[in-house]
Amino acid sequence: EVQLVQSGAEVKKPGESLKISCKTSGYTFINYWIGWVRQMPGKGLEWMGIIHGGDSDTRYSPSFQGQVTISADKSINTAYLQWSSLKASDTAMYYCAKWLPGGYYFDYWGQGTLVTVSS
Amino acid sequence: DIQMTQSPSSLSASVGDRVTITCRASQTISSYLNWYQQKPGEAPKILIYAASSLQSGVPSRFTGSGSGTDFTLAISSLQPEDFATYYCQQSYSTPYNFGPGTKLEIK
């Protein structure tokens, strides 16, 4: 069974750093891409970027390039999303999702990680 | 970047109704168009991929059509569990942007 299990909710202050995780199982991590999607409170889905589990080739949306870093550790089948200096506007739910090559869609999703940034 | 628009942004309908949601891409994307459903407090779920292919396990009352720049999601005979927000997404080129969503509410 394919599973993507994300790390728990975080409450941070502006300027702090953060790294959230997406641990996968049930499929061959190195053969697939994992994407990250932001959903701000009451708003729609925003595609942030995607990373290949095998070679860590990463593509970012221009809207998020330089604002976040996406990484992966294939030894533990886990993808990460990190910030070096959080802003209040980073408050959102963040989802990881597995990208199906050939089909070109997200077929499995994590449960989401709520990040709250407040002073 | 390819921008996606959806209409309407919200829609009220009754159980048993047929509804359609439209998605438009800012440039041609062939059939690289997906539809997701999201219910409150849940992660999105894939319904339709490649414009018209029904994901396994999704009821046949959901149908997708279109190619190029204009696409449609149709739901025949609405069921109570269909009231949710629907997003289109292009998978033609990165960034694989989503549309702004259509909220389907009970009339």
Side-chain angles (χ1 to χ4, degrees), chain B residues 55-72:
Chain B
Q55 176 71 349
S56 175
V58 174
S60 59
R61 62 180 179 273
F62 291 91
T63 56
S65 63
S67 67
T69 60
D70 295 317
F71 302 87
T72 300

Side-chain angles (χ1 to χ4, degrees), chain A residues 6-66:
Chain A
Q6 298 185 230
S7 49
E10 302 275 359
V11 180
K12 292 290 194 179
K13 290 181 167 37
E16 291 186 331
S17 62
L18 176 64
K19 190 173 189 177
I20 63 174
S21 66
C22 173
K23 182 162 180 58
T24 74
S25 60
Y27 72 97
T28 305
F29 184 78
I30 61 172
N31 290 344
Y32 293 87
W33 297 77
I34 291 279
W36 287 94
V37 175
R38 183 174 80 174
Q39 188 166 39
M40 299 177 76
K43 301 300 183 182
L45 305 174
E46 298 175 270
W47 191 90
M48 301 177 72
I50 200 164
I51 186 165
H52 192 271
D55 62 10
S56 290
D57 182 14
T58 308
R59 316 287 168 83
Y60 291 94
S61 167
S63 300
F64 293 94
Q65 179 88 48

